[in-house]
Amino acid sequence: MRKKIKHPFKNAVRLMFPLGFVLCFSTSAAVIDDYTQRGEQREWFLEAEQRIERRDFDRARELMLKLADYPLFPYLEAAFLEQNFSLANEPFVLEFLEEYQGTPAERQLRTAWLNFLVRRNDGARFLRDYRRQGSAHLQCYYLRERYRSLRRADPSESTDAEFAELWNDVTEQWMHGRSLPSACDPVFLAWSNAGHRTDDVVWQRIKLALEARQTGLARYLARFMDDDTRYLADLMRRVNTSPSVVRRFQEFPGADPREREIILYGLGRLRWNNHDALVSVWEHFKDKYPFSEQERAQMESDIAVTLALRGDDRALGYFQRLDPAYMTDTARQWYLTARLATQNYGAIAAFIDRLPEDIAERGQWLYWRARAQAELGNFDDAMETMERTAQQRNYYGFLASARLSLIPELSHDEPEFSPDALEQLAQSPAAQRAYELRQMERFLDARREWNLVRQDLGEDEQVLAAILASEWGWHDQAIFGFAQSGSLNDVHRRFPLGYSELLQEQAAQASIDPAWVFAITRRESSFQPDAVSPAGARGLMQVMPATADYLLRNSPGPTSRIPTQTRLFNPEENVRLGTQYLADLLRRTDNNWLLATAAYNAGIYRMQEWLPSESVPADLWIEMIPFQETRDYVKAVLAYQQIYTMLLGKDANVLAPLIRMQINGTNRG
């Protein structure tokens, strides 16, 4: 049986710890430690963590007494308490949960405490201490205990409103695409007996299950549908397995309006493997069911985009059914692509003239309006529009500047701020914890604390937080902060020269433009060294492990036993491999840095599939890249490269070569 813990450091932690660093507002934006012992405190902290984990509590207490004013002390206290859970220590736990409510340390301790109470089957304390959790098991236990509590209460005290609120929460929990823990079963049964497992609720969950690829769960749920609607579940499941089922028109008797949902779902999946069937099925069903105007517009837009992607001439017919004002950005892009494929500049100009003014003034449409007018011989109009485009700080603005032989304007405008307000924000406990965690390279925990800093800030304070992150050299959080606040004119902080010495050194080693390396790194990770993409790319330049292995096999020098995935989180290793890969792509594309940029994102073989048999201007080729991610990527990197070129002290127009560049199949390398 655990004894009540001795807590000689408890009073010390109640004293708000002082500022652990001071800000230096020099051009280097350095942050220096205020205490000469800060490095020693970090060592004590790491040792204390280990001692607590090993249950060496005497030594842990000694260290914690030295760390009562250290920003990360709550993490030690939470770990200490978690190792000593007991009802005797309950007051300390509750005091901590109240003191640090909303912090990552509090959430971690609360989850552990709730699991401790579940093991004790202590429903009363669990209900008292529960806050919404990410754990489905804890959520289910909470709903079960709420139900039991209402059942045990005096009927006069268990109001209908309380039960109604409970059933709503149970419905929300039940509506899940995956199987739920058995802890939910008792309350789900009571909820069902109370008449809340309706046919529509079951239908909605079946769709969620199929979306989550849980076909077994969907099959199980079908038994709960009404006899006359159970066919919907079977039909939806078969369409999920084989979208071509929507071509069997006899399977859709029109007996239930939910057949409409199945048709739209099936067409959404059919469009990627049989666009001819997509057209014929939609033409058959579009007037048979009461599709909303929004559903009709979305489907016809999807058909137009799909046909355009396949190079099908019918795309233009579907595009012409759509009002440009109500097209999605994707549909507008693909209409432009379809017209550029035949270089029908008259249709492009007419289309842009029909766009709403706020959309027509975007860089993309201004640029292509100017290009179209020039091709049509309306040179004065083209010149005036191109000059307006050149005033924008984006890919199209820089491209317009190149056409006009102008050096782009970065329009840098640093926001005004109060150094006192910045220091006050820096002194906040969450900011100090974020800073210390980042110093220890615990980047994920640091971001969690930083989110806590930002969550309740107003618009101006959000900008202040972005400035503070920049002063600390925390570039990714500065970049994200400025983007989310809408304050976009602080070019120097939004486009930092992060890891400057490393990037420039490796660019020189690879004989490539350092501004290109900065642009790639800014786009890939925003200078976040532990970034991981959904595809598995890692680190500053988002190098894929397979690419790294390919480069390492072809590099001289000793091999390393450190796994490739781990090595890619090392900035030096990552940038060395990333720049080496860029140089390799340049070689394989006959030194065409535009194609190398596209290949860095999409892979060289896929990029080569997009090369036309006949030459097209480079700006047309970029606009017609069929993969949206790569198309947007190329535009962003080119724009960033222009910005970094100027930040590195050169006034060259990076996009000037694109004006005369032609792209064709001979660029395969």
Side-chain angles (χ1 to χ4, degrees):
M1 181 176 180
R2 291 179 179 172
K3 298 180 180 180
K4 183 173 180 178
I5 61 176
K6 297 178 181 179
H7 228 317
F9 48 84
K10 200 65 185 179
N11 290 331
V13 78
R14 297 298 162 235
L15 300 175
M16 186 56 64
F17 31 81
L19 180 63
F21 47 86
V22 295
L23 295 174
C24 177
F25 299 109
S26 65
T27 55
S28 64
V31 177
I32 61 174
D33 287 338
D34 190 37
Y35 295 106
T36 56
Q37 78 269 26
R38 180 49 59 91
E40 189 175 26
Q41 285 183 313
R42 290 170 189 153
E43 293 179 4
W44 290 339
F45 173 83
L46 293 172
E47 183 186 351
E49 274 191 323
Q50 295 173 354
R51 296 291 182 174
I52 292 171
E53 186 177 352
R54 298 172 188 170
R55 303 185 62 78
D56 182 359
F57 297 132
D58 289 338
R59 174 58 179 162
R61 286 193 192 94
E62 292 176 10
L63 292 165
M64 292 172 75
L65 282 170
K66 300 178 181 181
L67 292 166
D69 64 345
Y70 183 57
L72 299 185
F73 182 87
Y75 284 87
L76 295 178
E77 189 175 0
F80 195 101
L81 289 168
E82 185 175 344
Q83 290 280 15
N84 289 278
F85 278 152
S86 69
L87 294 185
N89 291 325
E90 180 182 26
F92 296 127
V93 173
L94 297 182
E95 188 176 2
F96 183 94
L97 296 179
E98 182 178 0
E99 176 79 18
Y100 296 105
Q101 186 172 357
T103 67
E106 178 267 336
R107 289 194 292 268
Q108 179 179 332
L109 184 66
R110 187 180 296 275
T111 298
W113 175 248
L114 291 172
N115 280 310
F116 168 73
L117 296 176
V118 168
R119 293 193 296 271
R120 287 182 51 84
N121 199 26
D122 194 335
R125 284 185 169 85
F126 185 94
L127 285 177
R128 180 197 65 192
D129 299 335
Y130 181 83
R131 302 293 182 273
R132 188 169 182 84
Q133 299 285 308
S135 163
H137 176 75
L138 291 178
Q139 290 174 6
C140 286
Y141 190 85
Y142 169 66
L143 292 172
R144 189 182 80 181
E145 291 306 311
R146 274 177 65 187
Y147 173 68
R148 288 179 174 177
S149 177
L150 289 174
R151 286 290 305 272
R152 287 193 297 264
D154 188 300
S156 63
E157 297 177 0
S158 299
T159 66
D160 291 340
E162 288 177 307
F163 269 109
E165 184 179 1
L166 171 64
W167 297 143
N168 284 337
D169 291 345
V170 175
T171 301
E172 181 182 349
Q173 182 73 8
W174 195 77
M175 295 289 285
H176 199 286
R178 297 183 179 275
S179 297
L180 290 161
S182 58
C184 281
D185 292 348
V187 72
F188 282 165
L189 178 61
W191 166 80
S192 176
N193 291 338
H196 295 282
R197 193 178 62 195
T198 65
D199 193 67
D200 187 61
V201 167
V202 175
W203 170 246
Q204 297 302 326
R205 190 176 179 194
I206 287 173
K207 292 191 295 182
L208 291 172
L210 292 174
E211 185 178 331
R213 300 182 181 180
Q214 300 294 304
T215 54
L217 175 60
R219 187 180 297 108
Y220 167 78
L221 292 169
R223 70 183 67 182
F224 298 122
M225 293 195 72
D226 297 339
D227 292 342
D228 58 343
T229 60
R230 194 168 296 136
Y231 81 96
L232 292 170
D234 176 66
L235 187 57
M236 185 69 160
R237 193 175 67 252
R238 288 191 293 117
V239 168
N240 173 264
T241 302
S242 175
S244 62
V245 169
V246 295
R247 303 175 66 183
R248 303 174 192 168
F249 301 147
Q250 71 276 10
E251 301 266 13
F252 297 85
D256 191 291
R258 284 174 287 187
E259 292 177 18
R260 186 186 89 260
E261 298 178 45
I262 301 174
I263 292 166
L264 292 175
Y265 174 76
L267 289 175
R269 300 193 61 213
L270 191 65
R271 63 182 294 212
W272 300 118
N273 53 36
N274 191 333
H275 61 281
D276 287 324
L278 170 69
V279 173
S280 63
V281 171
W282 174 245
E283 292 298 330
H284 173 83
F285 281 126
K286 69 177 184 178
D287 296 323
K288 185 176 179 180
Y289 289 88
F291 297 104
S292 69
E293 288 301 315
Q294 182 178 357
E295 288 171 335
R296 290 177 182 276
Q298 183 65 57
M299 182 52 64
E300 303 223 331
S301 179
D302 288 347
I303 291 174
V305 169
T306 303
L307 294 177
L309 183 61
R310 301 291 190 273
D312 193 307
D313 292 339
R314 291 173 293 177
L316 290 176
Y318 278 92
F319 277 125
Q320 288 167 354
R321 296 185 192 183
L322 302 169
D323 185 337
Y326 297 103
M327 281 184 177
T328 63
D329 287 341
T330 300
R332 294 189 192 103
Q333 173 67 49
W334 278 103
Y335 178 81
L336 175 63
T337 299
R339 290 306 193 185
L340 287 175
T342 58
Q343 300 190 34
N344 188 335
Y345 291 103
I348 291 171
F351 176 78
I352 296 172
D353 286 342
R354 294 173 60 203
L355 291 174
E357 183 177 357
D358 61 324
I359 295 173
E361 288 298 311
R362 296 176 185 172
Q364 178 182 34
W365 302 110
L366 282 175
Y367 177 81
W368 285 109
R369 185 182 187 280
R371 284 280 277 116
Q373 293 297 341
E375 293 290 342
L376 296 171
N378 302 322
F379 299 113
D380 290 342
D381 190 341
M383 179 65 71
E384 187 274 332
T385 304
M386 197 67 78
E387 288 174 350
R388 286 164 52 207
T389 311
Q391 296 173 14
Q392 299 192 13
R393 189 183 58 239
N394 54 38
Y395 161 74
Y396 294 101
F398 296 153
L399 199 54
S401 295
R403 286 193 170 275
L404 297 170
S405 299
L406 298 175
I407 298 300
E409 289 288 341
L410 294 187
S411 302
H412 171 68
D413 184 16
E414 183 173 327
E416 295 183 0
F417 65 92
S418 164
D420 290 341
L422 191 67
E423 184 176 1
Q424 184 176 1
L425 181 63
Q427 289 179 8
S428 67
Q432 292 188 54
R433 293 194 296 268
Y435 177 81
E436 280 301 304
L437 288 164
R438 185 168 174 272
Q439 295 303 110
M440 294 182 179
E441 298 188 354
R442 296 186 179 184
F443 298 117
L444 178 59
D445 289 331
R447 287 192 290 273
R448 286 171 176 158
E449 290 286 1
W450 191 246
N451 289 337
L452 183 64
V453 171
R454 297 183 59 237
Q455 68 180 10
D456 295 323
L457 298 181
E459 182 177 336
D460 291 341
E461 292 170 312
Q462 293 287 355
V463 175
L464 196 67
I467 292 171
L468 178 59
S470 177
E471 298 294 324
W472 286 351
W474 200 355
H475 302 305
D476 57 298
Q477 292 306 311
I479 290 167
F480 300 151
F482 280 114
Q484 292 171 4
S485 70
S487 180
L488 303 179
N489 290 326
D490 190 341
V491 177
H492 294 172
R493 290 191 176 96
R494 289 187 59 228
F495 293 90
L497 294 170
Y499 295 89
S500 181
E501 184 177 345
L502 172 63
L503 266 60
Q504 295 195 66
E505 177 186 338
Q506 291 301 320
Q509 287 285 338
S511 299
I512 57 179
D513 180 9
W516 189 31
V517 178
F518 277 104
I520 293 282
T521 306
R522 168 66 163 76
R523 175 64 180 188
E524 290 286 355
S525 71
S526 295
F527 302 95
Q528 182 179 321
D530 65 325
V532 180
S533 78
R538 286 167 161 76
L540 288 173
M541 296 187 71
Q542 289 290 273
V543 180
M544 291 291 292
T547 301
D549 288 335
Y550 155 76
L551 294 168
L552 290 167
R553 283 195 302 270
N554 293 279
S555 299
T559 59
S560 172
R561 295 184 179 181
I562 302 174
T564 302
Q565 291 90 334
T566 303
R567 295 176 69 179
L568 289 176
F569 289 131
N570 179 289
E572 288 76 13
E573 190 83 352
N574 188 283
V575 174
R576 181 179 68 82
L577 292 170
T579 52
Q580 186 178 335
Y581 186 46
L582 284 174
D584 182 66
L585 291 172
L586 268 181
R587 177 185 58 79
R588 296 166 72 183
T589 56
D590 195 23
N591 286 318
N592 187 308
W593 109 102
L594 168 59
L595 299 184
T597 299
Y600 194 87
N601 176 261
I604 192 165
Y605 298 115
R606 180 181 288 179
M607 181 277 294
Q608 289 173 342
E609 293 173 1
W610 302 334
L611 298 178
S613 56
E614 297 184 3
S615 295
V616 299
D619 59 349
L620 268 71
W621 182 80
I622 293 169
E623 205 69 63
M624 293 190 296
I625 291 175
F627 194 33
Q628 179 181 342
E629 179 187 326
T630 303
R631 186 172 61 246
D632 293 344
Y633 179 90
V634 169
K635 293 176 186 178
V637 168
L638 291 177
Y640 296 173
Q641 188 175 356
Q642 177 64 66
I643 292 171
Y644 276 113
T645 295
M646 300 180 76
L647 291 178
L648 289 170
K650 298 180 181 179
D651 286 336
N653 197 315
V654 174
L655 276 61
L658 299 183
I659 306 305
R660 294 172 296 279
M661 186 185 294
Q662 296 286 313
I663 302 297
N664 56 51
T666 63
N667 299 116
R668 291 183 185 277

